[in-house]
Amino acid sequence: MSHILKLDALKQAQVSTSPYPYFVLENSIVDSEVNAVIQDFPKIEQGGSYNIEDVEIKPNFDRFLKSLDTKEFRQILTEKFDVDVMEHPMMITLRGYSRQKDGRIHSDSKTKLLTVLIYLNESWDAPTGRLRILNDEKNMEDYVEEINAGPGTLVAFKVTDNGWHGYVPYEGQRQSIQINFLTSDKANAKHRFVHGLSAKLKKLFG
């Protein structure tokens, strides 16, 4: 399996420890692959997260998905965050459309060990819709870093009680893949069921 992520660049990315452990890598996808991956991103015109089973997966995007669950990728994350995810279940979900209500300040659930977001937009010129690493759960303006949602930008963080993040509301296409390493198979099944049910309801009621 050829690597589509720039693993050497991932290894060299510096982890920030404040306000919680995270790192950002722009242009994380091999230059010769990034456009093909973005072009094959599934067509998602409604808000919310989707399991990959609930959308149409095209060949180049399928290759990208298959290249993510590798020993090398897991090893890099394990070493960076000192959290062993070598054997933990990996859940992949997709987002393609941002609503005004999205982006509210939150921290991820305790069933998640690590979260990795990869943005798959051709560019990002909008002043809003940029993920912020926040110091607390109350103030969107109190942030340590604002992350461009452009082509192949990757952000990864350890899930902690104070892992607050969010973005100023944006309405429109905003494509990303979210990778979560979960605490157990039971947690994986629960998350996937919820996302799958949501997708079915959206199809029924639009």
Side-chain angles (χ1 to χ4, degrees), residues 114-126:
L114 300 178
T115 294
V116 182
L117 299 168
I118 305 174
Y119 293 100
L120 295 169
N121 305 289
E122 291 181 0
S123 61
W124 198 264
D125 300 322

Side-chain angles (χ1 to χ4, degrees), residues 34-69:
V34 63
N35 288 334
V37 171
I38 291 173
Q39 291 302 316
D40 270 8
F41 190 92
K43 189 175 183 180
I44 298 175
E45 297 179 326
Q46 292 180 295
S49 296
Y50 288 79
N51 293 322
I52 56 178
E53 295 85 2
D54 296 322
V55 296
E56 180 186 357
I57 303 296
K58 297 180 180 179
N60 288 313
F61 198 75
D62 186 54
R63 287 195 307 112
F64 179 55
L65 292 174
K66 286 182 168 63
S67 76
L68 293 173
D69 193 4

Side-chain angles (χ1 to χ4, degrees), residues 199-206:
K200 290 180 176 66
L201 290 174
K202 289 184 181 106
K203 287 180 181 177
L204 282 174
F205 301 109

Side-chain angles (χ1 to χ4, degrees), residues 15-23 81 106-107 131-136 144 155-166:
V15 176
S16 298
T17 57
S18 180
Y20 48 89
Y22 79 96
F23 73 86
F81 293 112
H106 68 284
S107 60
L131 188 74
R132 291 178 175 179
I133 303 296
L134 300 168
N135 283 311
D136 62 47
V144 298
V155 55
F157 54 87
K158 183 178 180 179
V159 176
T160 62
D161 290 341
N162 70 323
W164 307 110
H165 55 282

Side-chain angles (χ1 to χ4, degrees), residues 69-186:
D69 193 4
T70 64
K71 180 180 178 181
E72 293 92 336
F73 185 44
R74 287 173 178 263
Q75 188 67 46
I76 291 169
L77 295 172
T78 291
E79 291 175 0
K80 285 195 172 297
F81 293 112
D82 195 25
V83 176
D84 188 349
V85 295
M86 297 305 294
E87 302 296 335
H88 283 273
M90 172 193 275
M91 179 180 70
I92 294 178
T93 51
L94 307 175
R95 284 181 174 264
Y97 192 88
S98 177
R99 305 158 293 188
Q100 281 295 315
K101 69 177 183 178
D102 292 330
R104 294 173 182 169
I105 298 174
H106 68 284
S107 60
D108 285 2
S109 74
K110 293 182 179 181
T111 55
K112 299 175 181 178
L113 298 168
L114 300 178
T115 294
V116 182
L117 299 168
I118 305 174
Y119 293 100
L120 295 169
N121 305 289
E122 291 181 0
S123 61
W124 198 264
D125 300 322
T128 60
R130 298 166 182 251
L131 188 74
R132 291 178 175 179
I133 303 296
L134 300 168
N135 283 311
D136 62 47
E137 74 274 31
K138 298 177 182 178
N139 187 0
M140 186 70 80
E141 299 306 315
D142 185 11
Y143 60 94
V144 298
E145 188 164 355
E146 185 177 64
I147 297 156
N148 190 312
T153 297
L154 180 152
V155 55
F157 54 87
K158 183 178 180 179
V159 176
T160 62
D161 290 341
N162 70 323
W164 307 110
H165 55 282
Y167 60 87
V168 178
Y170 174 83
E171 179 89 28
Q173 186 182 49
R174 184 179 183 272
Q175 299 182 160
S176 64
I177 181 169
Q178 179 167 306
I179 304 162
N180 292 112
F181 293 93
L182 302 173
T183 54
S184 67
D185 289 327
K186 182 179 179 181

